[in-house]
Amino acid sequence: MNLFVDAFNWILDPANYAGPGGIPVRLVEHLVFTVVAVLLASLIAIPVGFLIGHTGRGRSLAVATSGGLRSIPTLGLLTLVALWVGIGLGAPYVALTVLAIPPILAGAYAGFEAIDRSTIDSARSVGMSESQIVRTVEIPLGLPLLIAGIRSATLQVVATATLAAYVADFGLGRFLFAGLKTRDYAEMLGGSLLVILLALALEGIFTVVQRLVVPKGVAFGRPPVDRARSARPGPGMDPAITKGNH
Amino acid sequence: MFTANRGRLAAVAAVAVGAVVALAGCASGDPLDSGNTTDEGSATLVVGSQDYYSNEIIAEIYAQALEENGFTVDRQFKIGQREVYLPEIESGSIDVFPEYTGSLLQALNADAAGGTAEETFAQLQDELPDGLSVLDMAKATDQNSWTVTQAFADKYSLTDIASLADVTEPITVGGPSELETRPYGPTTLTEKYGIPIAGFTPIEDGGGPLTIKALVDNAIQITNIYTASPNIKSDKLVALDDPDALFFADNVVPVVSDKVDEKAADVLNAVSAALTAEDLVSLNSESVNDELSAEKIAAAWLKQANLF
């Protein structure tokens, strides 16, 4: 018996597409849940990240806080919140939003910090106001890193959103729990594959978005090679070898 | 630029192919086989338990009783639900497992007739696969039950399961995923008693605090709670009567492999003879309300029962 064959058969079985518990409904639920959780996290993390990135203040606090948030076990937090607000989607939203905040926050302030200081100083010297600098210089230039952060958050949330089914009749996690508890491993694996497919689809979308958000006239990605040449030799690095690179 | 992209494409393709190969490798084996099955020849008895605190306490009692009598015990606790561990017992990698007569019978034969405690026990003995047997059952029972809040029961004068048909508000069933497809599940409620079920809400903590809260908050109206749960008393719940034996009698019984010899069987039978239904509720209460560990609860009970 090959589990993967069974899982693919399960995914392709038309009987699994009908009704409120069918694959299309679960996929849409899962997607909506992921999008909402990432949006909620963005609403919190992006303004804070921009503030930190622009002022340069509170960075170490943000690093420590988001590091702490990252270490919270999502299922534990979900259970704790559910004991407070009850079953339903409230607790999963809180838990998954907390999961999504750190990468978005890091992307937001790292995007600002990565901008060459002389660019911002030039903007200031031509008379731009602080808000103009943020809106027309820092946000566009920092956008690629912010999107990278949102992309990373989305990937984590879409994979972990299966936990919504722990306390609600919602999302692809239903297939995982039901399959596990009834020894229907084809259903369980099929559900997992659907999560993976959804994650890959979202990755594809973000790859395109990341290309689109690069402002005109800015090279995206790794800087040209000649910058690597000008790197100072690190401690312990043999100067002879560094010279040999020239 | 073009060549770089093609190189990247090749790398992505290589990773994808590698992942498929690696995953296909996983697929051929038993997904739950941890690979560390015990030696056939060793005299160590493997005691298992469900991922259910009450079952773990009973397993711990078995384990400590066996240890008191000179056996070496390997504890493999919290193995999950019956769907997960049953194949493990059948394959002989676990020697002693606390079980419940009716639930185990239904798991082995979904069409079993069930009935009283004795009838259920007799049928269970017939259904057990070769190499497995059950020892004496205890008086203690921990049955499945359809449970509602006292307030809900008062509102509609509910006494037994059939009376749920008189409820005029939508009934949402809550509980772990497997409840939805069990023989006593929501489908049977509708087909057998004409009880309208508005929906099923999964709560995957196995009748734990989230389930109790959902019931008390009226987010769900009925759920499956074990009758030995201390929550029935502390949260003012009512386990509805089951005159048609929808749920089978569920006496605590040790399921054992061939490796359990007469001496070990005597030890376990002595435990079963002493374990009453009241004992089980109070053991559970010590875990839930006093938050004592299974080790402490088991040791205290064995001492108080004055067995060994």
PDB file of all heavy atoms in Angstrom, chain A residues 2 4 82-84 86 166-169 174 177-178 181-183 185 211, chain B residues 8 23 27 32 83 87 177-178 180-181 200 202-205 210 213:
ATOM      1  N   ASN A   2       0.681   2.066  -0.948  1.00  0.00           N
ATOM      2  CA  ASN A   2       1.424   3.313  -0.950  1.00  0.00           C
ATOM      3  C   ASN A   2       0.505   4.453  -0.509  1.00  0.00           C
ATOM      4  O   ASN A   2      -0.487   4.776  -1.147  1.00  0.00           O
ATOM      5  CB  ASN A   2       1.981   3.583  -2.344  1.00  0.00           C
ATOM      6  CG  ASN A   2       2.974   4.723  -2.316  1.00  0.00           C
ATOM      7  OD1 ASN A   2       2.752   5.712  -1.618  1.00  0.00           O
ATOM      8  ND2 ASN A   2       4.064   4.589  -3.031  1.00  0.00           N
ATOM      9  N   PHE A   4       0.948   7.584  -0.519  1.00  0.00           N
ATOM     10  CA  PHE A   4       0.854   8.751  -1.385  1.00  0.00           C
ATOM     11  C   PHE A   4      -0.171   8.548  -2.487  1.00  0.00           C
ATOM     12  O   PHE A   4      -0.910   9.459  -2.837  1.00  0.00           O
ATOM     13  CB  PHE A   4       2.228   9.098  -1.970  1.00  0.00           C
ATOM     14  CG  PHE A   4       2.945  10.104  -1.134  1.00  0.00           C
ATOM     15  CD1 PHE A   4       3.750   9.693  -0.095  1.00  0.00           C
ATOM     16  CD2 PHE A   4       2.783  11.460  -1.367  1.00  0.00           C
ATOM     17  CE1 PHE A   4       4.387  10.614   0.702  1.00  0.00           C
ATOM     18  CE2 PHE A   4       3.420  12.393  -0.574  1.00  0.00           C
ATOM     19  CZ  PHE A   4       4.231  11.978   0.469  1.00  0.00           C
ATOM     20  N   ALA A  82      -8.419  30.227  23.985  1.00  0.00           N
ATOM     21  CA  ALA A  82      -9.730  29.589  23.831  1.00  0.00           C
ATOM     22  C   ALA A  82     -10.389  29.367  25.187  1.00  0.00           C
ATOM     23  O   ALA A  82     -11.616  29.437  25.316  1.00  0.00           O
ATOM     24  CB  ALA A  82      -9.595  28.274  23.075  1.00  0.00           C
ATOM     25  N   LEU A  83      -9.586  29.117  26.209  1.00  0.00           N
ATOM     26  CA  LEU A  83     -10.149  28.953  27.550  1.00  0.00           C
ATOM     27  C   LEU A  83     -10.728  30.271  28.053  1.00  0.00           C
ATOM     28  O   LEU A  83     -11.566  30.303  28.943  1.00  0.00           O
ATOM     29  CB  LEU A  83      -9.072  28.467  28.522  1.00  0.00           C
ATOM     30  CG  LEU A  83      -8.777  26.971  28.473  1.00  0.00           C
ATOM     31  CD1 LEU A  83      -7.608  26.618  29.366  1.00  0.00           C
ATOM     32  CD2 LEU A  83     -10.006  26.175  28.886  1.00  0.00           C
ATOM     33  N   TRP A  84     -10.253  31.349  27.463  1.00  0.00           N
ATOM     34  CA  TRP A  84     -10.711  32.669  27.878  1.00  0.00           C
ATOM     35  C   TRP A  84     -11.895  33.122  27.029  1.00  0.00           C
ATOM     36  O   TRP A  84     -12.949  33.463  27.547  1.00  0.00           O
ATOM     37  CB  TRP A  84      -9.527  33.641  27.780  1.00  0.00           C
ATOM     38  CG  TRP A  84      -9.847  35.059  28.071  1.00  0.00           C
ATOM     39  CD1 TRP A  84     -10.671  35.542  29.061  1.00  0.00           C
ATOM     40  CD2 TRP A  84      -9.348  36.194  27.367  1.00  0.00           C
ATOM     41  NE1 TRP A  84     -10.701  36.905  29.008  1.00  0.00           N
ATOM     42  CE2 TRP A  84      -9.908  37.336  27.990  1.00  0.00           C
ATOM     43  CE3 TRP A  84      -8.474  36.360  26.283  1.00  0.00           C
ATOM     44  CZ2 TRP A  84      -9.628  38.623  27.546  1.00  0.00           C
ATOM     45  CZ3 TRP A  84      -8.199  37.638  25.861  1.00  0.00           C
ATOM     46  CH2 TRP A  84      -8.775  38.751  26.486  1.00  0.00           C
ATOM     47  N   GLY A  86     -13.457  31.213  24.605  1.00  0.00           N
ATOM     48  CA  GLY A  86     -14.329  30.128  24.147  1.00  0.00           C
ATOM     49  C   GLY A  86     -13.897  29.597  22.799  1.00  0.00           C
ATOM     50  O   GLY A  86     -12.981  30.134  22.164  1.00  0.00           O
ATOM     51  N   TYR A 166      -8.636  22.879  15.588  1.00  0.00           N
ATOM     52  CA  TYR A 166      -8.581  22.350  16.959  1.00  0.00           C
ATOM     53  C   TYR A 166      -9.819  22.778  17.739  1.00  0.00           C
ATOM     54  O   TYR A 166     -10.288  22.054  18.605  1.00  0.00           O
ATOM     55  CB  TYR A 166      -7.308  22.873  17.637  1.00  0.00           C
ATOM     56  CG  TYR A 166      -6.953  22.186  18.928  1.00  0.00           C
ATOM     57  CD1 TYR A 166      -6.365  20.923  18.930  1.00  0.00           C
ATOM     58  CD2 TYR A 166      -7.182  22.797  20.162  1.00  0.00           C
ATOM     59  CE1 TYR A 166      -6.034  20.291  20.101  1.00  0.00           C
ATOM     60  CE2 TYR A 166      -6.852  22.161  21.344  1.00  0.00           C
ATOM     61  CZ  TYR A 166      -6.274  20.906  21.311  1.00  0.00           C
ATOM     62  OH  TYR A 166      -5.947  20.286  22.483  1.00  0.00           O
ATOM     63  N   VAL A 167     -10.329  23.952  17.459  1.00  0.00           N
ATOM     64  CA  VAL A 167     -11.486  24.445  18.208  1.00  0.00           C
ATOM     65  C   VAL A 167     -12.612  24.958  17.309  1.00  0.00           C
ATOM     66  O   VAL A 167     -13.538  25.596  17.806  1.00  0.00           O
ATOM     67  CB  VAL A 167     -11.092  25.580  19.183  1.00  0.00           C
ATOM     68  CG1 VAL A 167     -10.353  25.016  20.379  1.00  0.00           C
ATOM     69  CG2 VAL A 167     -10.263  26.629  18.484  1.00  0.00           C
ATOM     70  N   ALA A 168     -12.521  24.728  16.001  1.00  0.00           N
ATOM     71  CA  ALA A 168     -13.575  25.221  15.124  1.00  0.00           C
ATOM     72  C   ALA A 168     -13.701  24.322  13.894  1.00  0.00           C
ATOM     73  O   ALA A 168     -12.743  23.681  13.489  1.00  0.00           O
ATOM     74  CB  ALA A 168     -13.273  26.657  14.692  1.00  0.00           C
ATOM     75  N   ASP A 169     -14.892  24.315  13.332  1.00  0.00           N
ATOM     76  CA  ASP A 169     -15.155  23.521  12.125  1.00  0.00           C
ATOM     77  C   ASP A 169     -14.675  24.331  10.938  1.00  0.00           C
ATOM     78  O   ASP A 169     -15.466  24.879  10.195  1.00  0.00           O
ATOM     79  CB  ASP A 169     -16.662  23.233  12.046  1.00  0.00           C
ATOM     80  CG  ASP A 169     -16.979  22.262  10.923  1.00  0.00           C
ATOM     81  OD1 ASP A 169     -16.049  21.660  10.387  1.00  0.00           O
ATOM     82  OD2 ASP A 169     -18.170  22.124  10.598  1.00  0.00           O
ATOM     83  N   ARG A 174      -9.144  20.316   9.454  1.00  0.00           N
ATOM     84  CA  ARG A 174     -10.192  19.325   9.723  1.00  0.00           C
ATOM     85  C   ARG A 174      -9.818  17.962   9.136  1.00  0.00           C
ATOM     86  O   ARG A 174     -10.051  16.942   9.743  1.00  0.00           O
ATOM     87  CB  ARG A 174     -11.527  19.793   9.138  1.00  0.00           C
ATOM     88  CG  ARG A 174     -12.176  20.918   9.886  1.00  0.00           C
ATOM     89  CD  ARG A 174     -12.784  20.463  11.206  1.00  0.00           C
ATOM     90  NE  ARG A 174     -14.082  19.819  11.042  1.00  0.00           N
ATOM     91  CZ  ARG A 174     -14.414  18.649  11.564  1.00  0.00           C
ATOM     92  NH1 ARG A 174     -13.548  17.988  12.274  1.00  0.00           N
ATOM     93  NH2 ARG A 174     -15.594  18.146  11.365  1.00  0.00           N
ATOM     94  N   PHE A 177      -7.019  16.405  11.443  1.00  0.00           N
ATOM     95  CA  PHE A 177      -7.501  15.870  12.717  1.00  0.00           C
ATOM     96  C   PHE A 177      -8.402  14.661  12.496  1.00  0.00           C
ATOM     97  O   PHE A 177      -8.235  13.627  13.139  1.00  0.00           O
ATOM     98  CB  PHE A 177      -8.248  16.940  13.511  1.00  0.00           C
ATOM     99  CG  PHE A 177      -7.347  17.907  14.211  1.00  0.00           C
ATOM    100  CD1 PHE A 177      -7.320  19.238  13.856  1.00  0.00           C
ATOM    101  CD2 PHE A 177      -6.522  17.476  15.242  1.00  0.00           C
ATOM    102  CE1 PHE A 177      -6.476  20.136  14.505  1.00  0.00           C
ATOM    103  CE2 PHE A 177      -5.679  18.358  15.892  1.00  0.00           C
ATOM    104  CZ  PHE A 177      -5.660  19.693  15.521  1.00  0.00           C
ATOM    105  N   ALA A 178      -9.354  14.799  11.567  1.00  0.00           N
ATOM    106  CA  ALA A 178     -10.295  13.699  11.334  1.00  0.00           C
ATOM    107  C   ALA A 178      -9.554  12.470  10.817  1.00  0.00           C
ATOM    108  O   ALA A 178      -9.822  11.340  11.235  1.00  0.00           O
ATOM    109  CB  ALA A 178     -11.372  14.128  10.345  1.00  0.00           C
ATOM    110  N   LYS A 181      -7.561  10.860  13.750  1.00  0.00           N
ATOM    111  CA  LYS A 181      -8.369  10.238  14.799  1.00  0.00           C
ATOM    112  C   LYS A 181      -9.123   9.012  14.298  1.00  0.00           C
ATOM    113  O   LYS A 181      -9.555   8.193  15.086  1.00  0.00           O
ATOM    114  CB  LYS A 181      -9.368  11.256  15.357  1.00  0.00           C
ATOM    115  CG  LYS A 181      -8.716  12.473  16.010  1.00  0.00           C
ATOM    116  CD  LYS A 181      -8.260  12.154  17.411  1.00  0.00           C
ATOM    117  CE  LYS A 181      -7.735  13.368  18.148  1.00  0.00           C
ATOM    118  NZ  LYS A 181      -8.786  14.241  18.612  1.00  0.00           N
ATOM    119  N   THR A 182      -9.339   8.893  12.992  1.00  0.00           N
ATOM    120  CA  THR A 182     -10.078   7.735  12.491  1.00  0.00           C
ATOM    121  C   THR A 182      -9.184   6.807  11.674  1.00  0.00           C
ATOM    122  O   THR A 182      -9.675   5.956  10.954  1.00  0.00           O
ATOM    123  CB  THR A 182     -11.281   8.172  11.637  1.00  0.00           C
ATOM    124  OG1 THR A 182     -10.781   8.972  10.559  1.00  0.00           O
ATOM    125  CG2 THR A 182     -12.275   8.982  12.429  1.00  0.00           C
ATOM    126  N   ARG A 183      -7.894   6.974  11.802  1.00  0.00           N
ATOM    127  CA  ARG A 183      -6.908   6.145  11.100  1.00  0.00           C
ATOM    128  C   ARG A 183      -7.074   6.209   9.594  1.00  0.00           C
ATOM    129  O   ARG A 183      -6.765   5.254   8.889  1.00  0.00           O
ATOM    130  CB  ARG A 183      -6.998   4.689  11.572  1.00  0.00           C
ATOM    131  CG  ARG A 183      -6.210   4.462  12.840  1.00  0.00           C
ATOM    132  CD  ARG A 183      -6.107   2.976  13.127  1.00  0.00           C
ATOM    133  NE  ARG A 183      -7.348   2.443  13.626  1.00  0.00           N
ATOM    134  CZ  ARG A 183      -7.517   1.160  13.911  1.00  0.00           C
ATOM    135  NH1 ARG A 183      -6.574   0.309  13.727  1.00  0.00           N
ATOM    136  NH2 ARG A 183      -8.674   0.743  14.395  1.00  0.00           N
ATOM    137  N   TYR A 185      -5.412   7.617   7.016  1.00  0.00           N
ATOM    138  CA  TYR A 185      -4.182   8.353   6.733  1.00  0.00           C
ATOM    139  C   TYR A 185      -4.164   8.949   5.339  1.00  0.00           C
ATOM    140  O   TYR A 185      -3.446   9.914   5.080  1.00  0.00           O
ATOM    141  CB  TYR A 185      -2.963   7.461   6.966  1.00  0.00           C
ATOM    142  CG  TYR A 185      -2.849   7.018   8.396  1.00  0.00           C
ATOM    143  CD1 TYR A 185      -2.674   5.693   8.739  1.00  0.00           C
ATOM    144  CD2 TYR A 185      -2.949   7.950   9.430  1.00  0.00           C
ATOM    145  CE1 TYR A 185      -2.605   5.298  10.069  1.00  0.00           C
ATOM    146  CE2 TYR A 185      -2.878   7.571  10.749  1.00  0.00           C
ATOM    147  CZ  TYR A 185      -2.709   6.245  11.068  1.00  0.00           C
ATOM    148  OH  TYR A 185      -2.649   5.856  12.370  1.00  0.00           O
ATOM    149  N   ARG A 211       8.861  41.107  -7.118  1.00  0.00           N
ATOM    150  CA  ARG A 211       9.483  41.715  -8.289  1.00  0.00           C
ATOM    151  C   ARG A 211       8.812  43.042  -8.634  1.00  0.00           C
ATOM    152  O   ARG A 211       9.461  44.003  -9.014  1.00  0.00           O
ATOM    153  CB  ARG A 211       9.386  40.773  -9.493  1.00  0.00           C
ATOM    154  CG  ARG A 211      10.432  39.699  -9.454  1.00  0.00           C
ATOM    155  CD  ARG A 211      10.124  38.627 -10.480  1.00  0.00           C
ATOM    156  NE  ARG A 211      10.867  37.419 -10.184  1.00  0.00           N
ATOM    157  CZ  ARG A 211      12.124  37.223 -10.577  1.00  0.00           C
ATOM    158  NH1 ARG A 211      12.743  38.136 -11.293  1.00  0.00           N
ATOM    159  NH2 ARG A 211      12.753  36.118 -10.259  1.00  0.00           N
TER     160      ARG A 211
ATOM    161  N   ARG B   8      18.843  28.843 -11.710  1.00  0.00           N
ATOM    162  CA  ARG B   8      17.978  28.819 -10.532  1.00  0.00           C
ATOM    163  C   ARG B   8      16.845  27.826 -10.733  1.00  0.00           C
ATOM    164  O   ARG B   8      16.472  27.098  -9.825  1.00  0.00           O
ATOM    165  CB  ARG B   8      17.425  30.209 -10.281  1.00  0.00           C
ATOM    166  CG  ARG B   8      17.451  30.558  -8.799  1.00  0.00           C
ATOM    167  CD  ARG B   8      17.227  32.005  -8.575  1.00  0.00           C
ATOM    168  NE  ARG B   8      15.807  32.318  -8.551  1.00  0.00           N
ATOM    169  CZ  ARG B   8      15.334  33.534  -8.415  1.00  0.00           C
ATOM    170  NH1 ARG B   8      16.164  34.547  -8.311  1.00  0.00           N
ATOM    171  NH2 ARG B   8      14.053  33.767  -8.389  1.00  0.00           N
ATOM    172  N   LEU B  23      10.060  12.039   0.188  1.00  0.00           N
ATOM    173  CA  LEU B  23       8.703  11.804   0.694  1.00  0.00           C
ATOM    174  C   LEU B  23       8.223  10.414   0.299  1.00  0.00           C
ATOM    175  O   LEU B  23       7.599   9.716   1.085  1.00  0.00           O
ATOM    176  CB  LEU B  23       7.745  12.856   0.146  1.00  0.00           C
ATOM    177  CG  LEU B  23       7.897  14.250   0.747  1.00  0.00           C
ATOM    178  CD1 LEU B  23       7.073  15.247  -0.018  1.00  0.00           C
ATOM    179  CD2 LEU B  23       7.487  14.241   2.216  1.00  0.00           C
ATOM    180  N   ALA B  27       6.768   7.053   2.483  1.00  0.00           N
ATOM    181  CA  ALA B  27       5.415   6.546   2.282  1.00  0.00           C
ATOM    182  C   ALA B  27       5.314   5.042   2.427  1.00  0.00           C
ATOM    183  O   ALA B  27       4.274   4.523   2.784  1.00  0.00           O
ATOM    184  CB  ALA B  27       4.925   6.948   0.903  1.00  0.00           C
ATOM    185  N   LEU B  32       3.530   5.434  11.742  1.00  0.00           N
ATOM    186  CA  LEU B  32       3.570   5.588  13.183  1.00  0.00           C
ATOM    187  C   LEU B  32       4.634   4.700  13.834  1.00  0.00           C
ATOM    188  O   LEU B  32       4.759   4.652  15.039  1.00  0.00           O
ATOM    189  CB  LEU B  32       2.192   5.257  13.779  1.00  0.00           C
ATOM    190  CG  LEU B  32       1.102   6.209  13.303  1.00  0.00           C
ATOM    191  CD1 LEU B  32      -0.263   5.674  13.669  1.00  0.00           C
ATOM    192  CD2 LEU B  32       1.301   7.590  13.888  1.00  0.00           C
ATOM    193  N   GLU B  83      -7.652   4.569  17.954  1.00  0.00           N
ATOM    194  CA  GLU B  83      -7.332   4.397  16.540  1.00  0.00           C
ATOM    195  C   GLU B  83      -5.830   4.304  16.326  1.00  0.00           C
ATOM    196  O   GLU B  83      -5.353   3.714  15.363  1.00  0.00           O
ATOM    197  CB  GLU B  83      -7.887   5.570  15.729  1.00  0.00           C
ATOM    198  CG  GLU B  83      -9.382   5.509  15.484  1.00  0.00           C
ATOM    199  CD  GLU B  83     -10.199   5.939  16.700  1.00  0.00           C
ATOM    200  OE1 GLU B  83      -9.612   6.324  17.723  1.00  0.00           O
ATOM    201  OE2 GLU B  83     -11.443   5.876  16.626  1.00  0.00           O
ATOM    202  N   PRO B  87      -3.420  -0.845  16.848  1.00  0.00           N
ATOM    203  CA  PRO B  87      -2.482  -1.653  16.053  1.00  0.00           C
ATOM    204  C   PRO B  87      -1.203  -1.990  16.816  1.00  0.00           C
ATOM    205  O   PRO B  87      -0.601  -3.042  16.585  1.00  0.00           O
ATOM    206  CB  PRO B  87      -2.170  -0.749  14.851  1.00  0.00           C
ATOM    207  CG  PRO B  87      -3.310   0.201  14.783  1.00  0.00           C
ATOM    208  CD  PRO B  87      -3.762   0.410  16.184  1.00  0.00           C
ATOM    209  N   SER B 177     -12.904  14.992  16.619  1.00  0.00           N
ATOM    210  CA  SER B 177     -13.308  14.629  15.246  1.00  0.00           C
ATOM    211  C   SER B 177     -13.923  13.252  15.134  1.00  0.00           C
ATOM    212  O   SER B 177     -14.903  13.066  14.418  1.00  0.00           O
ATOM    213  CB  SER B 177     -12.096  14.661  14.317  1.00  0.00           C
ATOM    214  OG  SER B 177     -11.603  15.946  14.208  1.00  0.00           O
ATOM    215  N   GLU B 178     -13.342  12.274  15.849  1.00  0.00           N
ATOM    216  CA  GLU B 178     -13.790  10.894  15.650  1.00  0.00           C
ATOM    217  C   GLU B 178     -15.219  10.702  16.138  1.00  0.00           C
ATOM    218  O   GLU B 178     -15.915   9.797  15.687  1.00  0.00           O
ATOM    219  CB  GLU B 178     -12.849   9.902  16.331  1.00  0.00           C
ATOM    220  CG  GLU B 178     -12.851   9.938  17.861  1.00  0.00           C
ATOM    221  CD  GLU B 178     -11.795  10.858  18.423  1.00  0.00           C
ATOM    222  OE1 GLU B 178     -11.423  11.811  17.708  1.00  0.00           O
ATOM    223  OE2 GLU B 178     -11.349  10.641  19.559  1.00  0.00           O
ATOM    224  N   GLU B 180     -17.760  12.314  15.441  1.00  0.00           N
ATOM    225  CA  GLU B 180     -18.681  12.520  14.327  1.00  0.00           C
ATOM    226  C   GLU B 180     -19.015  11.222  13.594  1.00  0.00           C
ATOM    227  O   GLU B 180     -20.113  11.071  13.052  1.00  0.00           O
ATOM    228  CB  GLU B 180     -18.059  13.527  13.349  1.00  0.00           C
ATOM    229  CG  GLU B 180     -19.064  14.211  12.462  1.00  0.00           C
ATOM    230  CD  GLU B 180     -18.428  15.276  11.578  1.00  0.00           C
ATOM    231  OE1 GLU B 180     -17.205  15.457  11.636  1.00  0.00           O
ATOM    232  OE2 GLU B 180     -19.183  15.915  10.826  1.00  0.00           O
ATOM    233  N   THR B 181     -18.074  10.276  13.601  1.00  0.00           N
ATOM    234  CA  THR B 181     -18.281   9.055  12.820  1.00  0.00           C
ATOM    235  C   THR B 181     -18.448   7.811  13.688  1.00  0.00           C
ATOM    236  O   THR B 181     -18.566   6.706  13.170  1.00  0.00           O
ATOM    237  CB  THR B 181     -17.098   8.829  11.864  1.00  0.00           C
ATOM    238  OG1 THR B 181     -15.881   8.947  12.596  1.00  0.00           O
ATOM    239  CG2 THR B 181     -17.107   9.847  10.748  1.00  0.00           C
ATOM    240  N   PHE B 200     -21.826  20.043  13.782  1.00  0.00           N
ATOM    241  CA  PHE B 200     -20.796  19.419  14.608  1.00  0.00           C
ATOM    242  C   PHE B 200     -19.611  20.369  14.723  1.00  0.00           C
ATOM    243  O   PHE B 200     -19.115  20.877  13.729  1.00  0.00           O
ATOM    244  CB  PHE B 200     -20.345  18.100  13.976  1.00  0.00           C
ATOM    245  CG  PHE B 200     -19.272  17.401  14.764  1.00  0.00           C
ATOM    246  CD1 PHE B 200     -19.610  16.625  15.864  1.00  0.00           C
ATOM    247  CD2 PHE B 200     -17.938  17.536  14.427  1.00  0.00           C
ATOM    248  CE1 PHE B 200     -18.635  15.993  16.612  1.00  0.00           C
ATOM    249  CE2 PHE B 200     -16.955  16.902  15.167  1.00  0.00           C
ATOM    250  CZ  PHE B 200     -17.303  16.129  16.256  1.00  0.00           C
ATOM    251  N   PRO B 202     -15.808  20.607  16.005  1.00  0.00           N
ATOM    252  CA  PRO B 202     -14.704  19.830  16.547  1.00  0.00           C
ATOM    253  C   PRO B 202     -14.000  20.576  17.675  1.00  0.00           C
ATOM    254  O   PRO B 202     -13.728  21.785  17.552  1.00  0.00           O
ATOM    255  CB  PRO B 202     -13.768  19.675  15.347  1.00  0.00           C
ATOM    256  CG  PRO B 202     -14.060  20.836  14.478  1.00  0.00           C
ATOM    257  CD  PRO B 202     -15.493  21.198  14.701  1.00  0.00           C
ATOM    258  N   ILE B 203     -13.756  19.883  18.769  1.00  0.00           N
ATOM    259  CA  ILE B 203     -12.926  20.415  19.851  1.00  0.00           C
ATOM    260  C   ILE B 203     -11.972  19.292  20.198  1.00  0.00           C
ATOM    261  O   ILE B 203     -12.371  18.276  20.741  1.00  0.00           O
ATOM    262  CB  ILE B 203     -13.760  20.820  21.080  1.00  0.00           C
ATOM    263  CG1 ILE B 203     -14.916  21.726  20.669  1.00  0.00           C
ATOM    264  CG2 ILE B 203     -12.882  21.523  22.112  1.00  0.00           C
ATOM    265  CD1 ILE B 203     -15.940  21.930  21.755  1.00  0.00           C
ATOM    266  N   GLU B 204     -10.720  19.485  19.847  1.00  0.00           N
ATOM    267  CA  GLU B 204      -9.801  18.350  19.824  1.00  0.00           C
ATOM    268  C   GLU B 204      -9.073  18.134  21.143  1.00  0.00           C
ATOM    269  O   GLU B 204      -7.956  17.656  21.157  1.00  0.00           O
ATOM    270  CB  GLU B 204      -8.787  18.532  18.684  1.00  0.00           C
ATOM    271  CG  GLU B 204      -9.411  18.716  17.314  1.00  0.00           C
ATOM    272  CD  GLU B 204     -10.042  17.444  16.752  1.00  0.00           C
ATOM    273  OE1 GLU B 204      -9.885  16.374  17.350  1.00  0.00           O
ATOM    274  OE2 GLU B 204     -10.711  17.547  15.703  1.00  0.00           O
ATOM    275  N   ASP B 205      -9.658  18.501  22.266  1.00  0.00           N
ATOM    276  CA  ASP B 205      -8.938  18.235  23.511  1.00  0.00           C
ATOM    277  C   ASP B 205      -9.543  17.074  24.293  1.00  0.00           C
ATOM    278  O   ASP B 205      -9.298  16.916  25.490  1.00  0.00           O
ATOM    279  CB  ASP B 205      -8.800  19.500  24.365  1.00  0.00           C
ATOM    280  CG  ASP B 205     -10.115  19.942  24.980  1.00  0.00           C
ATOM    281  OD1 ASP B 205     -11.171  19.514  24.472  1.00  0.00           O
ATOM    282  OD2 ASP B 205     -10.087  20.704  25.961  1.00  0.00           O
ATOM    283  N   LEU B 210     -11.467  22.751  27.313  1.00  0.00           N
ATOM    284  CA  LEU B 210     -12.075  23.523  26.224  1.00  0.00           C
ATOM    285  C   LEU B 210     -13.477  23.006  25.927  1.00  0.00           C
ATOM    286  O   LEU B 210     -14.403  23.792  25.670  1.00  0.00           O
ATOM    287  CB  LEU B 210     -11.217  23.432  24.957  1.00  0.00           C
ATOM    288  CG  LEU B 210      -9.916  24.217  24.951  1.00  0.00           C
ATOM    289  CD1 LEU B 210      -9.121  23.911  23.695  1.00  0.00           C
ATOM    290  CD2 LEU B 210     -10.192  25.700  25.042  1.00  0.00           C
ATOM    291  N   LYS B 213     -15.809  24.061  28.731  1.00  0.00           N
ATOM    292  CA  LYS B 213     -16.129  25.489  28.629  1.00  0.00           C
ATOM    293  C   LYS B 213     -17.134  25.738  27.513  1.00  0.00           C
ATOM    294  O   LYS B 213     -18.073  26.520  27.676  1.00  0.00           O
ATOM    295  CB  LYS B 213     -14.854  26.295  28.381  1.00  0.00           C
ATOM    296  CG  LYS B 213     -15.122  27.794  28.270  1.00  0.00           C
ATOM    297  CD  LYS B 213     -13.839  28.580  28.124  1.00  0.00           C
ATOM    298  CE  LYS B 213     -14.102  29.993  27.644  1.00  0.00           C
ATOM    299  NZ  LYS B 213     -15.031  30.767  28.471  1.00  0.00           N
TER     300      LYS B 213
END
